[in-house]
Amino acid sequence: MERKNFPMERQKRIALLAHDNTKPDLVQWAKENKAHLANHELFATGSTGEELAAELGFEVHTLLHGPLGGDLQIGGKISEGDIDFLIFFLDPLTPVSHDTDVQALMRMAVLWNIPIVCNRASADFMITSPLMDQEYQRLLTEEIDTYGSR
């Protein structure tokens, strides 16, 4: 299978999402990592975006609430090359009504080979990686072109 490079700029476009029960943990983590996040462009869904903007004191592009299509909006932005990094604090013990949307979002992240964080420990490791503040060449299969077709 052929591979091609897909550039990721020094300033990353990071999507920050959380299920309801993990939202306080995501907001607390973001506050603790405010200096790292300030160097990047942030996106979030619904009330998560509003809370993050209020706590961090800088712009967070806020989309629809997850169950109302926000997760799908983030997935669309990934496939359009507008999101470089996904931080989604999942709640594995509570079922959500829009689970198929979450699965579709994760599928897009894997397909487009962007970093995915699903818990605090992974977020701590990745946000402090030297790659966060450097350009990076993601490898994509040659079958995926810039329009997302195979």
Side-chain angles (χ1 to χ4, degrees):
M1 187 177 296
E2 295 290 319
R3 302 259 184 206
K4 65 179 178 180
N5 285 332
F6 197 81
M8 191 184 297
E9 300 296 323
R10 182 181 176 136
Q11 181 187 38
K12 308 297 185 282
R13 294 163 297 182
I14 302 172
L16 296 157
L17 292 83
H19 285 143
D20 287 342
N21 291 340
T22 60
K23 195 176 303 185
D25 195 33
L26 176 67
V27 172
Q28 182 62 39
W29 176 86
K31 283 173 39 179
E32 292 169 8
N33 290 281
K34 181 178 178 176
H36 291 293
L37 293 172
N39 298 323
H40 304 286
E41 187 175 3
L42 306 181
F43 295 81
T45 55
S47 59
T48 303
E50 295 164 4
E51 286 184 46
L52 287 167
E55 290 291 337
L56 297 175
F58 50 82
E59 183 179 18
V60 176
H61 303 284
T62 303
L63 306 173
L64 295 172
H65 290 275
L68 299 179
D71 296 336
L72 294 175
Q73 284 182 303
I74 295 291
K77 287 187 167 297
I78 290 170
S79 67
E80 293 168 356
D82 295 333
I83 297 289
D84 302 311
F85 197 102
L86 176 61
I87 297 175
F88 194 159
F89 279 24
L90 299 171
D91 179 359
L93 300 177
T94 305
V96 293
S97 61
H98 62 290
D99 191 51
T100 54
D101 295 347
V102 173
Q103 290 175 10
L105 171 61
M106 293 303 192
R107 188 170 38 257
M108 285 296 100
V110 171
L111 178 66
W112 287 92
N113 195 27
I114 68 167
I116 307 168
V117 167
C118 296
N119 60 35
R120 188 181 183 103
S122 297
D124 288 339
F125 274 83
M126 286 204 199
I127 199 72
T128 58
S129 167
L131 295 174
M132 282 302 298
D133 295 315
Q134 297 176 17
E135 289 183 17
Y136 179 78
Q137 297 297 316
R138 288 184 290 141
L139 292 176
L140 298 179
T141 63
E142 191 65 40
E143 295 174 347
I144 301 173
D145 64 23
T146 57
Y147 299 104
S149 62
R150 298 190 104 201

